[in-house]
Amino acid sequence: MKTSFEEVMDIRGEGLPPKTPGDGEVTITGADPVFSSRFKISETCASVLAGIGVAVSDIWEMKTGRRQNVEIDVRRAAATLRSSLYMEKPDAAGNYQLVVNKMHEKMLEITQPWPTKDGRWVLPHFGLPHLQKRNLALLGCEPTAASVSTAVAKWDALDLEAAIDEARTCGGMVRSNEEWLATPHGQVLSGKPIVEIFKIGDSDPEPFPEGDRPLSGIRALDLTRILAGPIAARTLAENGADVLMVTAEHLPQIKEHVMDTNHGKRSCFLNLKETDDAARLKALVKEADVFSQGYRPGMLQGLGFSPEELAETRPGIVYLSISCYGADGPFSHRAGWEQVAQTMTGICHDGGTEGLDRPSLLPAAACDYTTGYLGAYGVLLVLAQRARKGGSYHVRVSLCRSGMFIYQQGKTGAVEPGKDLSAAELAAIHMNSQTADGPLRHVGPVLKLSETAPHWTRPTPVLGGDRPEWLDTNAAADAAE
């Protein structure tokens, strides 16, 4: 069986020099367990981050003729899987305290696997207000653990999963990995790589713009929310891209995730269902390099923003799609979250958290963050391919395929409950930002590159606080005035 880093390198493409940890260029140190999990979530994440480093080095070599050394520590990679839990803000006395969202904590208390009438388990997801409302209406219960447990116990597991699907909400039956792989959808995903890359159009090669960072001059539109998608675009910003986050005022968000996943970006409001706003986004696409979206497969096609449509609008576009179940298979239309991916692929069945004698979730959002990093990795590879050969490309990643990737790495054996990073380890990777909401202490970039240290040039933005324009456009407008 290939190591996780070897699987990541398999996506890199032919004709490039092979890379292995310890080869003088790539160094991965440390090992799981970091948290109380039987799964090698930290090592898997470190492998993907190392892959990102290699992809950035490939780009840097194209620009300068020089490669970079890549270093990642497994324990620091682990911190990125729980980074929103490590944010701190000062209290009235100036002492930094963890940022706590009590409403989000209450949501997580009920977004758990619950036993069903037929002896199985189902996890209904209550992540955002509209999902919570639909699932509570379907179950006929209150948003408390006791009420949800009682309501779920009245259903057979697959009947409830089907009802959740029909109600266009979110959740799934806890399956073993063997059961998942035996489903038609599991079989579809088993035949796919962890990052899918398709050429969807022809265009001339586009050399990387000049600049002192790997992605200087690269423009990326980020139409994603919550975790995986924002992490992909944030990674591009870490390496110099101009990232414009596009959302709408009516779309619900989780404040803590907005604070933590959007460092380095700007943010604007555009409602794609409004003609003028859609036209403005199309104009932005014409000058963009990357378009990243996390809608259910097919949803943007009716609005004129499918991969093929944007490849015609902007030949050379790199289109990233992030979903829960992937674009193919009988479950592809379903929405999903981190916890649902764990539930479906066998992670929850085997006990993501050590010390619990029931199906349990991982102590970190490993599927989300790993998927986000894999998406960024795919984009970096394709930008390099575009520079060499031209073309428009579609990159696809999914939470469930990432969950399968994590499961395939095997387990660590018995793990001590309550494991976490020490205060000293966190202090070594914390950085301070001055945001619109005041000072924020948070996990900074953990990947080390020898020449172009990943960093963010601006703090996390105010949602909708920027104009829907590219930075060069703003500079030109200022000069004209």
Side-chain angles (χ1 to χ4, degrees):
M1 175 179 160
K2 293 182 178 180
T3 67
S4 54
F5 184 73
E6 287 172 335
E7 287 197 57
V8 171
M9 287 293 97
D10 282 347
I11 310 300
R12 185 160 163 251
E14 299 179 358
L16 297 172
K19 298 298 168 188
T20 58
D23 64 0
E25 179 176 320
V26 180
T27 303
I28 302 176
T29 56
D32 276 306
V34 179
F35 306 124
S36 298
S37 171
R38 298 181 177 96
F39 292 94
K40 298 178 182 179
I41 55 176
S42 310
E43 292 179 32
T44 306
C45 180
S47 293
V48 179
L49 287 170
I52 288 172
V54 171
V56 171
S57 183
D58 290 341
I59 292 171
W60 193 240
E61 184 178 30
M62 296 178 75
K63 295 183 68 166
T64 68
R66 302 188 303 274
R67 295 195 65 79
Q68 302 198 54
N69 293 329
V70 178
E71 296 182 34
I72 184 65
D73 179 82
V74 167
R75 296 186 68 82
R76 293 189 172 193
T80 70
L81 300 175
R82 289 165 51 95
S83 56
S84 65
L85 301 181
Y86 298 136
M87 290 190 301
E88 299 176 349
K89 297 193 74 173
D91 59 19
N95 299 313
Y96 276 84
Q97 306 289 335
L98 291 175
V99 175
V100 177
N101 183 331
K102 293 184 178 180
M103 291 184 64
H104 191 59
E105 287 188 339
K106 289 182 178 179
M107 178 277 291
L108 293 176
E109 289 177 2
I110 57 177
T111 300
Q112 296 290 333
W114 303 104
T116 58
K117 184 172 62 175
D118 56 352
R120 301 296 300 253
W121 298 76
V122 166
L123 181 143
H125 206 290
F126 301 92
L128 290 173
H130 69 290
L131 293 176
Q132 183 167 134
K133 184 178 180 180
R134 290 177 192 171
N135 264 336
L136 292 176
L138 173 66
L139 293 168
C141 66
E142 298 298 318
T144 66
S147 185
V148 173
S149 177
T150 299
V152 171
K154 298 176 183 178
W155 289 79
D156 286 338
L158 283 176
D159 289 343
L160 180 53
E161 182 179 281
I164 288 172
D165 179 22
E166 186 176 353
R168 289 186 61 76
T169 183
C170 207
M173 182 183 78
V174 174
R175 290 168 169 81
S176 69
N177 186 252
E178 292 77 11
E179 287 177 317
W180 169 250
L181 295 177
T183 65
H185 197 89
Q187 292 172 7
V188 168
L189 285 187
S190 294
K192 295 181 178 296
I194 51 177
V195 180
E196 294 184 276
I197 296 175
F198 306 92
K199 185 177 181 182
I200 56 174
D202 294 319
S203 67
D204 293 331
E206 295 187 38
F208 283 94
E210 295 183 1
D212 59 1
R213 303 189 67 190
L215 298 185
S216 294
I218 296 296
R219 294 167 166 175
L221 291 164
D222 178 19
L223 279 73
T224 66
R225 292 180 288 161
I226 312 300
L227 282 179
I231 287 297
R234 191 186 74 178
T235 303
L236 302 181
E238 280 179 24
N239 291 286
D242 175 16
V243 179
L244 181 60
M245 177 191 180
V246 180
T247 186
E249 290 185 78
H250 69 278
L251 293 176
Q253 302 273 1
I254 296 174
K255 182 178 179 180
E256 285 66 28
H257 291 328
V258 172
M259 292 166 59
D260 189 50
T261 64
N262 293 293
H263 308 300
K265 306 177 189 177
R266 295 176 298 122
S267 172
C268 69
F269 285 145
L270 291 174
N271 185 343
L272 303 193
K273 294 183 179 180
E274 298 289 337
T275 302
D276 289 346
D277 283 3
R280 182 64 198 132
L281 182 59
K282 273 288 178 70
L284 288 169
V285 168
K286 291 179 180 179
E287 299 181 71
D289 299 283
V290 180
F291 183 94
S292 176
Q293 61 88 21
Y295 290 85
R296 299 191 200 196
M299 284 195 66
L300 288 185
Q301 184 171 356
L303 298 173
F305 292 92
S306 70
E308 294 73 20
E309 289 169 307
L310 294 197
E312 291 185 6
T313 299
R314 197 296 194 202
I317 195 73
V318 178
Y319 192 110
L320 173 62
S321 293
I322 301 173
S323 63
C324 181
Y325 292 96
D328 305 309
F331 296 161
S332 61
H333 65 282
R334 296 183 180 183
W337 291 57
E338 166 76 34
Q339 295 86 349
V340 177
Q342 294 183 38
T343 297
M344 301 295 281
T345 60
I347 293 173
C348 182
H349 177 274
D350 287 14
T353 299
E354 186 73 18
L356 297 180
D357 58 356
R358 52 170 284 174
S360 61
L361 298 167
L362 294 169
C367 295
D368 258 322
Y369 284 98
T370 302
T371 300
Y373 290 132
L374 284 170
Y377 177 58
V379 168
L380 291 167
L381 295 179
V382 166
L383 286 172
Q385 179 81 347
R386 187 186 73 170
R388 290 190 295 265
K389 300 181 180 180
S392 301
Y393 297 87
H394 189 189
V395 179
R396 299 196 311 211
V397 290
S398 70
L399 304 186
C400 283
R401 184 63 186 88
S402 295
M404 295 164 69
F405 178 45
I406 291 168
Y407 195 98
Q408 290 163 357
Q409 305 316 308
K411 300 173 187 174
T412 61
V415 179
E416 177 188 352
K419 290 180 69 64
D420 202 345
L421 295 165
S422 68
E425 287 177 306
L426 288 173
I429 56 176
H430 263 148
M431 62 175 288
N432 294 306
S433 294
Q434 184 63 42
T435 74
D437 289 330
L440 179 69
R441 180 179 292 164
H442 56 92
V443 174
V446 299
L447 178 66
K448 292 184 178 180
L449 296 173
S450 56
E451 287 196 38
T452 60
H455 64 278
W456 302 303
T457 58
R458 62 184 70 243
T460 187
V462 175
L463 286 179
D466 297 283
R467 299 179 66 179
E469 298 176 345
W470 293 116
L471 286 177
D472 287 348
T473 303
N474 293 337
D478 292 341
E481 293 174 2

